[in-house]
Amino acid sequence: MSKTSRRVVFGVLLIVTLVVSTGGALGYLGRLTLVFDRHAGKPLAIVEEVPGPPDGPNCSIDARYFDEEPRGLRPEVLKAWLALRAKASEQGVKLCLNDGKRSRQQQQAEFDEAVQKFGTEELASKYVLNPPDRSMHVIGFAVDVQPIESAKWVEKNGNSLGWCRRYENEQWHFEYNAGYPTGGCPALIPSATGS
């Protein structure tokens, strides 16, 4: 191998090493996320297909609920959730994330469970949206906060950070919108179906 060829090979290896090291560092710092494209012809970042955690550790103040990691929420929603949790903590309130991001498949499974629990699709749809694409959980903008005392705190204090309760029949369900702090919370809807 000639001296020039060795220099070229060494230069290419050095560039590849720098690119991989930089990518690894950015990934570790949370500034770079690589997404595997499982669907030919669809965009890489399909938020609706990103599953959220199916559960988590038990809520430390009420073991009937989970306190899952907020994985899968959109970046601005995650930032708002962490700010909400910090504000609550400053006031001595613990917020448990009983349910956050769901994939379409997780939403469908939730709906199927609700049908089993309530007996009909009509009754189930008052608590779990179907088809799944209609759910704000699927697109990463909703969280379910438990226990109810913590959810009541969010309803009273969350608006300033973009969180509003949306359904009369779900005290625990909150959706994020950057316009809520200035525009206020919209009127409550009777249920997920609107009736």
Side-chain angles (χ1 to χ4, degrees):
M1 186 181 273
S2 71
K3 201 174 197 178
T4 304
S5 296
R6 278 184 276 185
R7 284 185 181 163
V8 169
V9 169
F10 178 77
V12 169
L13 288 174
L14 181 61
I15 290 169
V16 168
T17 302
L18 287 172
V19 168
V20 170
S21 298
T22 302
L26 290 173
Y28 179 76
L29 295 172
R31 301 202 181 269
L32 175 68
T33 303
L34 301 176
V35 179
F36 178 72
D37 185 9
R38 297 183 186 143
H39 304 282
K42 289 189 177 181
L44 287 177
I46 305 170
V47 174
E48 292 82 359
E49 299 300 338
V50 175
D55 55 34
N58 286 341
C59 176
S60 62
I61 55 175
D62 192 332
R64 292 177 297 170
Y65 306 107
F66 293 118
D67 189 14
E68 71 180 35
E69 290 295 318
R71 290 192 319 262
L73 296 175
R74 292 173 181 267
E76 68 274 20
V77 179
L78 174 60
K79 183 177 178 181
W81 167 251
L82 296 174
L84 181 70
R85 207 169 207 175
K87 182 178 178 179
S89 182
E90 288 169 7
Q91 296 182 19
V93 176
K94 167 79 173 166
L95 305 181
C96 290
L97 179 58
N98 191 59
D99 208 358
K101 173 69 174 87
R102 299 178 194 147
S103 67
R104 288 179 178 128
Q105 291 77 16
Q106 287 170 317
Q107 182 73 17
Q108 185 64 53
E110 291 268 336
F111 181 74
D112 294 343
E113 285 176 29
V115 170
Q116 291 296 318
K117 180 178 178 179
F118 297 109
T120 68
E121 288 188 3
E122 182 181 349
L123 289 173
S125 66
K126 291 191 179 288
Y127 295 93
V128 182
L129 279 174
N130 195 39
D133 292 355
R134 294 178 53 210
S135 171
M136 295 300 272
H137 284 286
V138 172
I139 59 175
F141 281 100
V143 296
D144 290 345
V145 176
Q146 291 289 357
I148 293 300
E149 289 305 313
S150 298
K152 287 178 182 177
W153 182 92
V154 175
E155 186 171 8
K156 183 178 178 183
N157 299 282
N159 172 258
S160 64
L161 296 171
W163 292 99
C164 289
R165 179 176 162 202
R166 296 297 295 122
Y167 307 126
E168 286 178 9
N169 71 332
E170 294 185 30
Q171 288 182 283
W172 54 85
H173 179 89
F174 297 89
E175 296 177 5
Y176 173 77
N177 185 306
Y180 289 161
T182 55
C185 291
L188 289 177
I189 302 166
S191 72
T193 61
S195 60

